[in-house]
Amino acid sequence: MTRKPGREISPFIAMEVLKAANLREQQGGEVFHMEVGQPGTPAPSKVLAAAKDALENQQIGYTDALGIAPLREAIARHYKDFYGIDVPMERVVVTTGSSGGFLLTFLSAFEKGDGIVLAEPGYPAYRNILTSLDLVPVGLPCHEATNFQPTPDLIDTLTDPVAGLLVASPSNPTGTMIKKDELAALIDYCQENGLQFISDEIYHGITYDEPATTALELTDEAIIINSFSKYFSMTGWRLGWMIVPERLVSTIEKLAQNLFISPPALSQYAAISAFECRDEMEENVRAYARNREILLRELPKLGLSRLAAADGAFYVYADVRDFTNDSVAFCKKMLNETGVAATPGLDFDPHRGNGYVRFSFAGSTSTIEQAVERLKDWPGIKKGSQ
């Protein structure tokens, strides 16, 4: 019997670049990591202490599929403290990273073949997870005129039927944000047209001019996805959360029981303390702000003058069409010749990303400064270099 080939899923190019960068390091080459959205800082001190205490005093076994009660309560309090919003603990779902949250969201809210609108450029795992579940990612080309974010008018240009809209503010890869009135307009549009609204808020807390608006300020029917990975600097702990409408809690619980059994227990016990570490987190954000300032000042001097707004998160999305029409080859050449690792825009936009590159500034300031110095004399960003 001939077996069918495995399902074809596009790679996460940022991780491919990381693999190539790590190989260069192993071979003795210098690398300036600006390819992955991973904070260069450790988990907060109280989280590390709580993890040690849990290892010594807790049974690190299975937990409730929705998460341990003390952590769900802490997350609910966070919404009161951070946004001034009352969120019942019963609507909080702890997940295995935001990735687990997306999987639970897509499986609980949609049926096979449903179309979900995604802004392009956008986080590639959205469309790859949807495709793996026999759901349909419906790319919505967004431009500088709308801050690379969707609008009701843009969604109206789509001809295929859709069942949901997923937005991210601040977004990956552009760092752009949706203002409160614009977010309200998108939520109203979804309610009027029967679409499930999903808000990826993983970069909340990392903003530079004004705070981000949570969709929970505007509706109880949205699905909110967040994580301890970015603001709380806990990427490898693989812990996230969702705030979900009451009608979906039972379905999500059953899915979580069968798909994951429970989120990582040690990470849950440790994360309860994360909300007590705002001073450390805000110091991290100040460091990101310094890195952002360096790139927004220096990249235009190098000829990379068309940059997305970078209102939040820790990315600069740069238009490189003056130098290349192949961002994958451009990034490979840049890594090989300068040691600067960045992610091709094709990862985030399969149709126009060949002309863009994402630079992450989540690492140390010295990394950013040295990367800029390496690029100053690189022929790859001189006119006529393609």
Side-chain angles (χ1 to χ4, degrees):
M1 185 180 81
T2 302
R3 294 184 180 275
K4 293 182 180 180
R7 184 189 296 271
E8 184 65 30
I9 298 293
S10 299
F12 193 168
I13 301 176
M15 303 312 293
E16 298 289 309
V17 176
L18 175 63
K19 183 165 66 174
N22 288 341
L23 179 60
R24 176 184 169 92
E25 282 184 313
Q26 292 165 15
Q27 295 172 344
E30 196 171 29
V31 174
F32 306 97
H33 288 282
M34 301 176 71
E35 75 278 35
V36 291
Q38 174 167 280
T41 50
S45 55
K46 288 185 178 181
V47 169
L48 297 176
K52 181 180 179 181
D53 179 73
L55 281 172
E56 294 174 349
N57 298 300
Q58 296 280 2
Q59 180 181 357
I60 308 301
Y62 297 140
T63 73
D64 188 288
L66 297 182
I68 60 175
L71 179 57
R72 295 171 71 195
E73 291 168 352
I75 292 169
R77 284 196 303 273
H78 168 68
Y79 279 87
K80 183 66 173 178
D81 296 340
F82 204 83
Y83 303 101
I85 298 172
D86 290 314
V87 174
M89 168 216 160
E90 290 75 18
R91 291 175 54 203
V92 176
V93 178
V94 183
T95 61
T96 306
S98 65
S99 301
F102 289 118
L103 191 59
L104 292 170
T105 293
F106 297 152
L107 286 170
S108 65
F110 302 108
E111 300 290 342
K112 179 179 178 180
D114 280 350
I116 292 84
V117 181
L118 309 173
E120 292 179 349
Y123 181 51
Y126 298 151
R127 64 176 184 271
N128 293 336
I129 295 172
L130 288 168
T131 299
S132 73
L133 298 176
D134 288 326
L135 296 165
V136 181
V138 180
L140 182 69
C142 299
H143 305 269
E144 187 176 0
T146 64
N147 211 19
F148 293 100
Q149 293 284 2
T151 66
D153 287 343
L154 282 178
I155 300 171
D156 274 336
T157 66
L158 298 172
T159 55
D160 296 331
V162 293
L165 168 66
L166 194 163
V167 304
S169 174
S171 79
N172 176 11
T174 64
T176 61
M177 287 165 52
I178 306 174
K179 295 184 183 299
K180 186 173 183 177
D181 59 338
E182 296 166 344
L183 189 64
L186 286 168
I187 290 171
D188 289 345
Y189 180 94
C190 288
Q191 291 175 340
E192 292 165 6
N193 291 275
L195 307 185
Q196 176 62 61
F197 187 85
I198 306 162
S199 184
D200 179 354
E201 301 182 358
I202 191 172
Y203 293 101
H204 275 218
I206 307 175
T207 62
Y208 304 106
D209 295 318
E210 58 185 75
T213 300
T214 175
L216 288 174
E217 292 184 32
L218 303 164
T219 179
D220 286 332
E221 286 301 308
I223 298 173
I224 311 299
I225 296 175
N226 208 322
S227 169
F228 289 93
S229 291
K230 309 301 182 180
Y231 180 70
F232 297 98
S233 199
M234 294 173 63
T235 50
W237 300 67
R238 306 314 304 135
L239 199 67
W241 76 82
M242 307 162 64
I243 310 296
V244 303
E246 188 175 342
R247 59 186 165 81
L248 290 178
V249 172
S250 177
T251 299
I252 288 172
E253 181 175 22
K254 294 167 189 172
L255 284 167
Q257 289 168 342
N258 286 282
L259 290 173
F260 306 110
I261 300 181
S262 67
L266 178 61
S267 299
Q268 291 189 71
Y269 290 123
I272 297 168
S273 299
F275 300 105
E276 302 171 15
C277 302
R278 285 287 298 279
D279 288 347
E280 287 182 60
M281 301 301 94
E282 291 303 309
E283 180 55 39
N284 291 345
V285 174
R286 285 190 286 271
Y288 303 144
R290 291 192 292 271
N291 294 349
R292 171 182 179 265
E293 182 181 355
I294 292 169
L295 290 183
L296 294 183
R297 181 182 68 239
E298 298 297 332
L299 288 180
K301 294 178 184 178
L302 303 179
L304 301 175
S305 57
R306 295 192 297 274
L307 309 174
D311 304 314
F314 32 57
Y315 307 112
V316 169
Y317 196 60
D319 185 334
V320 296
R321 287 176 293 176
D322 285 343
F323 311 105
T324 186
N325 59 7
D326 185 346
S327 61
V328 174
F330 180 89
C331 287
K332 183 177 181 179
K333 184 178 176 70
M334 182 166 59
L335 175 61
N336 289 339
E337 296 181 0
T338 72
V340 175
T343 303
L346 205 63
D347 210 10
F348 312 101
D349 187 338
H351 302 107
R352 299 167 299 158
N354 58 297
Y356 292 84
V357 169
R358 187 195 75 176
F359 295 92
S360 169
F361 53 86
S364 69
T365 298
S366 64
T367 294
I368 306 305
E369 291 173 336
Q370 291 178 75
V372 168
E373 287 300 314
R374 294 300 188 278
L375 292 177
K376 283 182 178 178
D377 296 320
W378 184 46
I381 50 176
K382 302 293 186 262
K383 293 291 185 181
S385 62
Q386 58 182 329

